[in-house]
Amino acid sequence: LRGLATAGILLGAILDVARADNPIIQTLYSTDPAPLVWNNTVWLFTGHDENGAKNYDMRDWRLYSSTDMVNWRDWGVMLSLKSFSWAKADAWAGQVVERGGKFYYYVTATKTSGGYAVGIATSDSVTGPYKDALGRHLLANGGIDPTVYIDDDGQAYMYWGHTSPGAYHVLLGKDMLSYTGALTSTSVQNFVEGPWLHKRNGTWYLTYSSMGGSNEDIKYATSTRATGPWTSRGQIMASQGKSFTNHAGIIDYKGGSYFFYHNGALPGGGTYSRSVCIEKFSYNADGSIPKLVMTDA
Ligand code: FUB
């Protein structure tokens, strides 16, 4: 297996293609997966742990794509801290959504003046170039880990976490660059960080990182409305492996459902050197998500 992994890394480096087995990216440490299904392709936006980091040393955001969930093309860096004049550190979790042929990249970073904030970059192409859309942060209340979903009626919702911790949400404007109404604190059981919002068959799902033992686990809640109230549905993935954090992203693609997360499974991996992994799953008949186990923790 180790020989195969080495061959995979070499092949990946030569062909610029990441391997299919978990972790799916073996050419560097990758984090905070945010998959986007667009144009019959899965576009996987990730964070990046610097090699040898002793803390969350994260400076850029990257993109991979696949049409078969096996072979992943590496598109390189989409954004870095330098892309935002107001940011100085912590290129933490982000997510891209498409609206009207334009791509909106919501990210976390620490402001030059201190404190976590959420900013937005936009592009006319999914593969970039992405440019800071506002020249300032969108939210600066200590917010991290933005997740955005556009409902069938066109209303976009953004959830995010707070370092306190706690979950918040707001309604985004049609321009996707502004919001209407108040920043609203949301009650979600044992929420820590890393929310992922999606809707399926009329049910809203809020998946998030929680404390499940010595490391984070992944739990989820459901609601009939994007703004809650949320009913706790328990754990999807238990605390497992060498990374303290975990962070989920969920999509349906070509008839399958996929759960993206990160762990410390790559050689040298751990809390500050994480790697994106995927588990394929099927929703239960009642719409609940089955328990998933890291295939290689
Ligand atoms: O990767 C940095 C932070 O760790 C993310 O923003 C959190 O969700 C956690 O994964």
Side-chain angles (χ1 to χ4, degrees), residues 9-276:
I9 290 167
L10 289 176
L11 193 65
I14 293 164
L15 297 179
D16 219 16
V17 171
R19 285 179 70 240
D21 296 346
N22 282 330
I24 60 161
I25 298 159
Q26 304 208 349
T27 46
L28 47 72
Y29 294 116
S30 59
T31 72
D32 305 317
L36 165 71
V37 177
W38 180 77
N39 202 18
N40 295 318
T41 301
V42 178
W43 303 93
L44 172 61
F45 293 85
T46 75
H48 170 209
D49 280 338
E50 292 292 327
N51 216 358
K54 303 264 181 297
N55 208 323
Y56 295 105
D57 183 0
M58 304 175 71
R59 305 172 194 177
D60 51 30
W61 294 268
R62 309 180 71 100
L63 173 63
Y64 301 83
S65 70
S66 178
T67 52
D68 59 9
M69 299 302 287
V70 174
N71 298 289
W72 291 89
R73 177 170 175 179
D74 184 349
W75 290 89
V77 173
M78 291 294 111
L79 279 173
S80 78
L81 292 169
K82 294 197 178 92
S83 309
F84 301 101
S85 59
W86 52 268
K88 69 170 178 191
D90 304 320
W92 284 11
Q95 184 183 355
V96 171
V97 293
E98 182 268 346
R99 180 170 206 151
K102 201 162 173 148
F103 297 85
Y104 298 83
Y105 205 151
Y106 300 85
V107 298
T108 312
T110 291
K111 293 178 293 172
T112 47
S113 55
Y116 294 103
V118 170
I120 314 171
T122 54
S123 176
D124 291 330
S125 164
V126 68
T127 56
Y130 286 89
K131 296 241 162 59
D132 185 1
L134 299 175
R136 57 178 168 79
H137 51 265
L138 174 71
L139 303 169
N141 72 334
I144 61 169
D145 299 350
T147 177
V148 173
Y149 194 95
I150 306 172
D151 199 0
D152 313 324
D153 64 3
Q155 178 61 58
Y157 299 90
M158 181 163 78
Y159 274 78
W160 66 97
H162 191 281
T163 40
S164 311
Y168 287 78
H169 72 262
V170 78
L171 274 61
L172 291 179
K174 281 209 175 65
D175 63 3
M176 302 296 279
L177 305 174
S178 60
Y179 57 85
T180 53
L183 310 186
T184 307
S185 169
T186 310
S187 177
V188 186
Q189 201 175 53
N190 301 126
F191 177 94
V192 173
E193 59 183 353
W196 179 263
L197 180 68
H198 77 285
K199 187 185 186 188
R200 188 174 182 278
N201 296 339
T203 297
W204 289 88
Y205 293 76
L206 189 63
T207 304
Y208 55 95
S209 309
S210 178
M211 276 315 297
S214 48
N215 296 337
E216 287 179 344
D217 66 353
I218 302 287
K219 294 190 175 79
Y220 78 113
T222 57
S223 177
T224 53
R225 296 170 52 193
T227 51
W230 294 96
T231 303
S232 177
R233 298 287 176 195
Q235 195 179 57
I236 300 176
M237 180 169 274
S239 162
Q240 196 189 342
K242 289 185 276 190
S243 164
F244 170 74
T245 67
N246 198 350
H247 190 115
I250 298 175
I251 54 165
D252 281 350
Y253 182 63
K254 291 187 176 171
S257 297
Y258 296 90
F259 181 86
F260 292 70
Y261 62 101
H262 68 217
N263 65 17
L266 210 59
T271 290
Y272 307 125
S273 44
R274 300 160 291 176
S275 292
V276 170

